[in-house]
Every structure is written in structure tokens, then in C-alpha cells.
Amino acid sequence: MPVTVHQKNEIGNSTPNKKVDYSELNEVQIGLLRMFSRPMTVEQTLKIKRAIVNHLSAELDNEVERVVAEKGITQK
């Protein structure tokens, strides 16, 4: 079900309303929307974004290391 949301960019300026189809979101995405559906400062928003990016980066690093080891890839 599409829902119109009002978004702000990283510096707090309003951007045009966008339609979001929540039927395409997974449980984690829905949970994050519920958790953060409150006013936040730019600093709080950036901290959350950095935490998520750091988490995903660590997961990617682990996956790359696993595949490299599994395939026996070396510097040569």
C-alpha cells in the first residue's frame, strides 16, 4: 500500500513528498521505520547512517574474506 512520506535531506531541508510502497519492505526495514519515526537532529541522523554503513561494511569484508579463503585466492 503506497504511503506518502515527507522527507528531509541530510542538511534538514525538505524534499518533495515521495510515495513509498510498504508492501515491498522487509521486516528489518519496517522495524527501522518504526524505530526512527520521530524527529531527529541532523547529527543523530548521520550517526545512525554511519552505524548502518559500518555494519554493512563489516559484513561485506567478512563475506569477501570467506570467498577468498574458500576459493584459495592469493596475492599472486
Side-chain angles (χ1 to χ4, degrees):
M1 135 171 83
V3 176
T4 301
V5 294
H6 185 74
Q7 298 180 326
K8 291 190 175 191
N9 62 23
E10 288 187 11
I11 57 173
N13 295 330
S14 295
T15 60
N17 290 339
K18 293 184 178 184
K19 298 261 185 198
V20 176
D21 186 355
Y22 285 101
S23 66
E24 295 179 10
L25 300 177
N26 64 42
E27 290 299 316
V28 172
Q29 292 166 322
I30 292 169
L32 288 170
L33 287 172
R34 286 183 181 143
M35 245 190 295
F36 300 115
S37 64
R38 61 180 180 78
M40 286 187 268
T41 65
V42 172
E43 292 80 17
Q44 290 170 319
T45 301
L46 291 174
K47 280 184 180 180
I48 291 166
K49 286 180 180 182
R50 284 186 194 115
I52 292 170
V53 167
N54 288 338
H55 170 74
L56 294 174
S57 177
E59 283 192 349
L60 178 61
D61 288 344
N62 292 337
E63 181 66 11
V64 168
E65 287 177 19
R66 183 189 68 76
V67 170
V68 165
E70 181 181 287
K71 296 188 180 259
I73 299 171
T74 65
Q75 288 282 336
K76 282 186 172 184

